Short mmCIF file of all heavy atoms in Angstrom, two decimals:
data_model
loop_
_atom_site.label_atom_id
_atom_site.label_comp_id
_atom_site.label_asym_id
_atom_site.label_seq_id
_atom_site.Cartn_x
_atom_site.Cartn_y
_atom_site.Cartn_z
N ALA W 1 -203.03 17.52 146.44
CA ALA W 1 -202.54 16.92 147.68
C ALA W 1 -203.24 15.50 147.86
O ALA W 1 -204.49 15.37 147.55
CB ALA W 1 -202.85 17.73 148.86
N ALA W 2 -202.48 14.50 148.08
CA ALA W 2 -203.15 13.17 148.38
C ALA W 2 -203.88 13.27 149.80
O ALA W 2 -203.51 14.11 150.66
CB ALA W 2 -202.14 12.12 148.44
N GLU W 3 -204.89 12.46 149.92
CA GLU W 3 -205.62 12.41 151.14
C GLU W 3 -206.00 10.90 151.33
O GLU W 3 -206.89 10.41 150.55
CB GLU W 3 -206.84 13.26 151.24
CG GLU W 3 -207.53 13.28 152.53
CD GLU W 3 -208.68 14.20 152.67
OE1 GLU W 3 -209.19 14.69 151.52
OE2 GLU W 3 -209.10 14.60 153.72
N ARG W 4 -205.33 10.25 152.35
CA ARG W 4 -205.67 8.85 152.56
C ARG W 4 -206.10 8.52 153.95
O ARG W 4 -205.64 9.27 154.88
CB ARG W 4 -204.26 8.08 152.26
CG ARG W 4 -203.75 8.23 150.85
CD ARG W 4 -202.34 7.79 150.72
NE ARG W 4 -201.88 7.90 149.36
CZ ARG W 4 -200.91 8.71 148.88
NH1 ARG W 4 -200.35 9.58 149.71
NH2 ARG W 4 -200.59 8.79 147.65
N SER W 5 -206.95 7.63 154.14
CA SER W 5 -207.39 7.22 155.45
C SER W 5 -206.46 6.15 156.07
O SER W 5 -206.08 5.24 155.21
CB SER W 5 -208.88 6.84 155.46
OG SER W 5 -208.99 5.61 154.64
N LEU W 6 -206.16 6.33 157.33
CA LEU W 6 -205.30 5.34 157.97
C LEU W 6 -205.87 5.06 159.47
O LEU W 6 -206.05 5.90 160.24
CB LEU W 6 -203.98 5.88 158.05
CG LEU W 6 -202.92 5.01 158.76
CD1 LEU W 6 -202.64 3.74 157.74
CD2 LEU W 6 -201.48 5.72 158.94
N THR W 7 -206.43 3.82 159.49
CA THR W 7 -207.03 3.40 160.76
C THR W 7 -205.96 2.80 161.77
O THR W 7 -205.26 1.93 161.28
CB THR W 7 -208.09 2.38 160.66
OG1 THR W 7 -209.21 3.00 159.75
CG2 THR W 7 -208.87 2.04 161.90
N ILE W 8 -205.84 3.33 162.92
CA ILE W 8 -204.99 2.82 163.83
C ILE W 8 -205.57 1.78 164.79
O ILE W 8 -206.54 2.01 165.36
CB ILE W 8 -204.29 4.02 164.75
CG1 ILE W 8 -203.74 5.12 163.86
CG2 ILE W 8 -203.35 3.51 165.78
CD1 ILE W 8 -203.26 6.26 164.65
N TYR W 9 -204.87 0.59 164.88
CA TYR W 9 -205.20 -0.50 165.87
C TYR W 9 -204.05 -0.51 166.88
O TYR W 9 -202.86 -0.75 166.55
CB TYR W 9 -205.35 -1.78 165.06
CG TYR W 9 -206.42 -1.67 164.06
CD1 TYR W 9 -206.37 -1.25 162.85
CD2 TYR W 9 -207.83 -2.26 164.46
CE1 TYR W 9 -207.42 -1.30 161.86
CE2 TYR W 9 -208.86 -2.15 163.63
CZ TYR W 9 -208.73 -1.77 162.28
OH TYR W 9 -209.63 -1.74 161.50
N LEU W 10 -204.39 -0.41 168.12
CA LEU W 10 -203.41 -0.54 169.15
C LEU W 10 -203.69 -1.81 169.85
O LEU W 10 -204.80 -2.05 170.53
CB LEU W 10 -203.54 0.57 170.14
CG LEU W 10 -202.58 0.55 171.43
CD1 LEU W 10 -201.17 0.70 170.92
CD2 LEU W 10 -202.96 1.86 172.25
N ASN W 11 -202.83 -2.76 169.78
CA ASN W 11 -202.97 -4.16 170.41
C ASN W 11 -204.26 -4.73 169.93
O ASN W 11 -205.08 -5.19 170.75
CB ASN W 11 -202.89 -4.20 171.85
CG ASN W 11 -201.43 -3.91 172.40
OD1 ASN W 11 -200.47 -3.79 171.41
ND2 ASN W 11 -201.20 -3.81 173.66
N ARG W 12 -204.56 -4.54 168.58
CA ARG W 12 -205.85 -5.23 168.05
C ARG W 12 -207.08 -4.39 168.10
O ARG W 12 -208.17 -4.74 167.77
CB ARG W 12 -205.94 -6.63 168.35
CG ARG W 12 -204.82 -7.61 167.75
CD ARG W 12 -205.19 -8.99 168.03
NE ARG W 12 -204.16 -9.86 167.54
CZ ARG W 12 -204.15 -11.18 167.60
NH1 ARG W 12 -205.18 -11.69 168.09
NH2 ARG W 12 -203.12 -11.91 167.18
N ARG W 13 -206.96 -3.32 168.91
CA ARG W 13 -208.17 -2.60 169.21
C ARG W 13 -208.13 -1.28 168.41
O ARG W 13 -207.17 -0.46 168.37
CB ARG W 13 -208.16 -2.14 170.65
CG ARG W 13 -209.15 -1.11 171.05
CD ARG W 13 -209.42 -0.96 172.49
NE ARG W 13 -210.62 -0.07 172.91
CZ ARG W 13 -211.09 -0.08 174.14
NH1 ARG W 13 -210.53 -0.77 175.10
NH2 ARG W 13 -212.13 0.78 174.26
N GLU W 14 -209.30 -1.01 167.68
CA GLU W 14 -209.35 0.13 166.76
C GLU W 14 -209.41 1.38 167.65
O GLU W 14 -210.30 1.43 168.56
CB GLU W 14 -210.64 0.01 165.91
CG GLU W 14 -210.75 1.16 164.90
CD GLU W 14 -211.91 1.07 163.99
OE1 GLU W 14 -212.35 -0.13 163.75
OE2 GLU W 14 -212.40 2.00 163.45
N ILE W 15 -208.51 2.40 167.29
CA ILE W 15 -208.40 3.56 168.08
C ILE W 15 -209.11 4.75 167.31
O ILE W 15 -209.98 5.42 167.84
CB ILE W 15 -207.00 3.93 168.36
CG1 ILE W 15 -206.40 2.73 169.14
CG2 ILE W 15 -206.85 5.25 169.18
CD1 ILE W 15 -207.07 2.48 170.59
N VAL W 16 -208.69 5.12 166.18
CA VAL W 16 -209.10 6.21 165.50
C VAL W 16 -208.73 6.10 163.96
O VAL W 16 -207.76 5.36 163.65
CB VAL W 16 -208.39 7.43 166.05
CG1 VAL W 16 -206.94 7.58 165.74
CG2 VAL W 16 -209.28 8.84 165.57
N THR W 17 -209.33 6.77 163.15
CA THR W 17 -208.93 6.93 161.62
C THR W 17 -208.45 8.25 161.46
O THR W 17 -209.13 9.31 161.70
CB THR W 17 -210.05 6.57 160.77
OG1 THR W 17 -210.46 5.17 160.89
CG2 THR W 17 -209.61 6.59 159.26
N LEU W 18 -207.21 8.41 160.87
CA LEU W 18 -206.69 9.66 160.59
C LEU W 18 -206.61 9.84 159.01
O LEU W 18 -206.54 8.82 158.23
CB LEU W 18 -205.19 9.78 161.11
CG LEU W 18 -205.03 9.54 162.54
CD1 LEU W 18 -203.44 9.59 162.91
CD2 LEU W 18 -205.74 10.64 163.39
N MET W 19 -206.81 11.10 158.57
CA MET W 19 -206.58 11.48 157.11
C MET W 19 -205.25 12.06 156.96
O MET W 19 -204.97 13.05 157.65
CB MET W 19 -207.74 12.44 156.60
CG MET W 19 -209.16 11.83 156.97
SD MET W 19 -209.55 10.24 156.21
CE MET W 19 -209.33 10.51 154.45
N THR W 20 -204.46 11.65 155.96
CA THR W 20 -203.09 11.96 155.90
C THR W 20 -202.55 11.87 154.49
O THR W 20 -203.15 11.30 153.60
CB THR W 20 -202.17 11.01 156.86
OG1 THR W 20 -200.85 11.35 156.69
CG2 THR W 20 -202.34 9.63 156.48
N LEU W 21 -201.50 12.63 154.18
CA LEU W 21 -200.85 12.52 152.90
C LEU W 21 -200.20 11.15 152.78
O LEU W 21 -200.03 10.63 151.62
CB LEU W 21 -199.84 13.68 152.86
CG LEU W 21 -200.16 15.00 152.75
CD1 LEU W 21 -198.97 15.93 152.68
CD2 LEU W 21 -201.13 15.27 151.49
N GLY W 22 -199.68 10.60 153.89
CA GLY W 22 -198.90 9.36 153.85
C GLY W 22 -197.52 9.31 153.53
O GLY W 22 -196.89 8.35 153.32
N ALA W 23 -196.89 10.47 153.83
CA ALA W 23 -195.50 10.68 153.65
C ALA W 23 -194.67 9.98 154.79
O ALA W 23 -193.61 9.33 154.43
CB ALA W 23 -195.09 12.19 153.54
N GLU W 24 -195.17 10.05 155.91
CA GLU W 24 -194.41 9.49 157.18
C GLU W 24 -195.40 8.86 158.00
O GLU W 24 -195.58 9.19 159.18
CB GLU W 24 -193.61 10.54 157.84
CG GLU W 24 -192.51 11.21 157.09
CD GLU W 24 -191.24 10.29 157.12
OE1 GLU W 24 -191.27 9.28 157.85
OE2 GLU W 24 -190.26 10.73 156.47
N PRO W 25 -196.10 7.76 157.55
CA PRO W 25 -197.27 7.25 158.28
C PRO W 25 -196.76 6.71 159.65
O PRO W 25 -197.57 6.75 160.60
CB PRO W 25 -197.82 6.20 157.52
CG PRO W 25 -196.69 5.92 156.49
CD PRO W 25 -195.95 6.99 156.24
N GLU W 26 -195.66 6.03 159.70
CA GLU W 26 -195.23 5.27 160.93
C GLU W 26 -194.94 6.46 162.05
O GLU W 26 -195.39 6.28 163.20
CB GLU W 26 -193.96 4.47 160.72
CG GLU W 26 -194.22 3.26 159.95
CD GLU W 26 -194.13 3.61 158.42
OE1 GLU W 26 -193.76 4.78 158.00
OE2 GLU W 26 -194.47 2.75 157.57
N ALA W 27 -194.25 7.56 161.66
CA ALA W 27 -194.01 8.51 162.65
C ALA W 27 -195.26 9.25 163.03
O ALA W 27 -195.49 9.66 164.18
CB ALA W 27 -193.13 9.68 161.97
N LEU W 28 -196.37 9.47 162.09
CA LEU W 28 -197.55 9.97 162.50
C LEU W 28 -198.26 9.18 163.50
O LEU W 28 -198.72 9.63 164.58
CB LEU W 28 -198.48 10.11 161.20
CG LEU W 28 -199.94 10.44 161.47
CD1 LEU W 28 -200.16 11.79 162.16
CD2 LEU W 28 -200.72 10.41 160.04
N VAL W 29 -198.32 7.80 163.30
CA VAL W 29 -198.96 6.95 164.31
C VAL W 29 -198.38 6.92 165.61
O VAL W 29 -199.02 7.11 166.63
CB VAL W 29 -199.05 5.55 163.66
CG1 VAL W 29 -199.56 4.55 164.77
CG2 VAL W 29 -199.89 5.59 162.37
N ALA W 30 -197.04 6.82 165.57
CA ALA W 30 -196.29 6.86 166.81
C ALA W 30 -196.42 8.21 167.63
O ALA W 30 -196.74 8.20 168.72
CB ALA W 30 -194.87 6.69 166.51
N GLY W 31 -196.35 9.36 166.89
CA GLY W 31 -196.60 10.55 167.48
C GLY W 31 -197.97 10.81 167.98
O GLY W 31 -198.15 11.46 169.10
N TYR W 32 -198.94 10.40 167.30
CA TYR W 32 -200.35 10.52 167.63
C TYR W 32 -200.56 9.77 168.96
O TYR W 32 -201.13 10.33 169.99
CB TYR W 32 -201.24 10.02 166.56
CG TYR W 32 -202.75 10.05 167.07
CD1 TYR W 32 -203.42 11.31 166.83
CD2 TYR W 32 -203.32 9.05 167.63
CE1 TYR W 32 -204.84 11.33 167.28
CE2 TYR W 32 -204.67 9.20 167.99
CZ TYR W 32 -205.33 10.34 167.83
OH TYR W 32 -206.74 10.39 168.10
N LEU W 33 -200.11 8.52 169.01
CA LEU W 33 -200.44 7.73 170.23
C LEU W 33 -199.63 8.20 171.38
O LEU W 33 -200.04 8.23 172.59
CB LEU W 33 -200.02 6.29 169.94
CG LEU W 33 -200.98 5.50 168.89
CD1 LEU W 33 -200.49 4.06 168.64
CD2 LEU W 33 -202.46 5.60 169.40
N ARG W 34 -198.40 8.64 171.07
CA ARG W 34 -197.45 9.21 172.23
C ARG W 34 -198.20 10.49 172.78
O ARG W 34 -198.21 10.70 174.01
CB ARG W 34 -196.13 9.51 171.60
CG ARG W 34 -195.19 10.19 172.54
CD ARG W 34 -194.57 9.24 173.58
NE ARG W 34 -193.49 9.72 174.17
CZ ARG W 34 -192.87 9.28 175.35
NH1 ARG W 34 -193.47 8.15 175.81
NH2 ARG W 34 -191.99 9.79 175.91
N ASN W 35 -198.64 11.46 171.93
CA ASN W 35 -199.20 12.64 172.33
C ASN W 35 -200.50 12.43 173.07
O ASN W 35 -200.89 13.28 173.98
CB ASN W 35 -199.41 13.58 171.15
CG ASN W 35 -198.10 14.38 170.71
OD1 ASN W 35 -197.17 14.39 171.55
ND2 ASN W 35 -198.01 14.74 169.49
N GLN W 36 -201.23 11.36 172.81
CA GLN W 36 -202.41 11.08 173.42
C GLN W 36 -202.29 10.38 174.80
O GLN W 36 -203.20 10.04 175.44
CB GLN W 36 -203.43 10.25 172.48
CG GLN W 36 -203.78 10.96 171.25
CD GLN W 36 -204.65 12.25 171.48
OE1 GLN W 36 -205.38 12.30 172.42
NE2 GLN W 36 -204.57 13.11 170.56
N GLY W 37 -201.02 10.01 175.09
CA GLY W 37 -200.67 9.33 176.30
C GLY W 37 -201.10 7.84 176.21
O GLY W 37 -201.26 7.13 177.21
N LEU W 38 -201.23 7.24 174.96
CA LEU W 38 -201.56 5.93 174.78
C LEU W 38 -200.36 4.98 174.64
O LEU W 38 -200.36 3.77 174.64
CB LEU W 38 -202.46 5.70 173.65
CG LEU W 38 -203.88 6.41 173.76
CD1 LEU W 38 -204.73 6.37 172.60
CD2 LEU W 38 -204.65 5.98 175.12
N LEU W 39 -199.12 5.63 174.37
CA LEU W 39 -197.89 4.93 174.16
C LEU W 39 -196.99 5.34 175.25
O LEU W 39 -196.93 6.61 175.47
CB LEU W 39 -197.26 5.21 172.80
CG LEU W 39 -197.52 4.33 171.63
CD1 LEU W 39 -196.73 4.57 170.43
CD2 LEU W 39 -197.29 2.77 172.01
N GLY W 40 -196.32 4.53 175.89
CA GLY W 40 -195.40 4.92 177.01
C GLY W 40 -193.95 5.10 176.52
O GLY W 40 -193.66 5.95 175.77
N GLU W 41 -193.07 4.24 176.96
CA GLU W 41 -191.65 4.21 176.62
C GLU W 41 -191.42 3.53 175.42
O GLU W 41 -192.16 2.67 175.05
CB GLU W 41 -190.87 3.66 177.84
CG GLU W 41 -191.08 4.32 179.18
CD GLU W 41 -190.71 5.76 179.20
OE1 GLU W 41 -189.75 6.14 178.50
OE2 GLU W 41 -191.42 6.55 179.80
N LEU W 42 -190.30 4.00 174.76
CA LEU W 42 -189.87 3.39 173.41
C LEU W 42 -189.63 1.91 173.64
O LEU W 42 -189.94 1.13 172.67
CB LEU W 42 -188.73 4.10 172.93
CG LEU W 42 -188.15 3.83 171.47
CD1 LEU W 42 -189.36 4.06 170.47
CD2 LEU W 42 -187.03 4.55 171.07
N GLU W 43 -189.15 1.46 174.90
CA GLU W 43 -188.92 0.15 175.07
C GLU W 43 -190.14 -0.74 175.05
O GLU W 43 -190.14 -1.97 174.86
CB GLU W 43 -188.33 -0.04 176.49
CG GLU W 43 -186.86 0.46 176.56
CD GLU W 43 -186.79 1.85 176.65
OE1 GLU W 43 -187.81 2.70 176.74
OE2 GLU W 43 -185.77 2.54 176.52
N ASP W 44 -191.31 -0.09 175.21
CA ASP W 44 -192.63 -0.94 175.19
C ASP W 44 -193.09 -1.25 173.78
O ASP W 44 -193.96 -2.03 173.51
CB ASP W 44 -193.75 -0.05 175.83
CG ASP W 44 -193.48 0.11 177.31
OD1 ASP W 44 -192.76 -0.79 177.95
OD2 ASP W 44 -194.08 1.02 177.91
N LEU W 45 -192.55 -0.56 172.78
CA LEU W 45 -192.87 -0.77 171.34
C LEU W 45 -192.37 -2.09 170.81
O LEU W 45 -191.22 -2.21 170.77
CB LEU W 45 -192.59 0.37 170.59
CG LEU W 45 -193.03 0.42 169.05
CD1 LEU W 45 -194.59 0.42 169.04
CD2 LEU W 45 -192.46 1.62 168.39
N GLU W 46 -193.23 -3.00 170.38
CA GLU W 46 -192.76 -4.15 169.66
C GLU W 46 -192.90 -4.15 168.22
O GLU W 46 -192.01 -4.69 167.59
CB GLU W 46 -193.76 -5.39 170.16
CG GLU W 46 -193.54 -5.80 171.64
CD GLU W 46 -194.12 -7.18 171.98
OE1 GLU W 46 -194.65 -7.83 171.06
OE2 GLU W 46 -194.18 -7.52 173.20
#
């Protein structure tokens, strides 16, 4: 299994580093921030 580090920056601020396979990294990041209450509505995403 692959294991890759992915550091998330939210509006240039470092939030957390996740270890992941890397199959769906965008969905992982969006879901993580959404579940943590750090992302609001889809309309807010640039």
Side-chain angles (χ1 to χ4, degrees):
E3 185 178 17
R4 303 168 172 111
S5 61
L6 185 64
T7 301
I8 301 176
Y9 294 87
L10 180 58
N11 291 357
R12 299 186 178 182
R13 176 168 184 165
E14 183 176 338
I15 300 298
V16 71
T17 297
L18 304 177
M19 304 305 297
T20 176
L21 292 179
E24 295 280 356
E26 294 82 9
L28 168 61
V29 171
Y32 179 85
L33 294 176
R34 176 76 168 167
N35 282 336
Q36 299 296 329
L38 301 177
L39 267 184
E41 301 301 322
L42 191 55
E43 290 78 8
D44 292 337
L45 183 62
E46 288 191 11

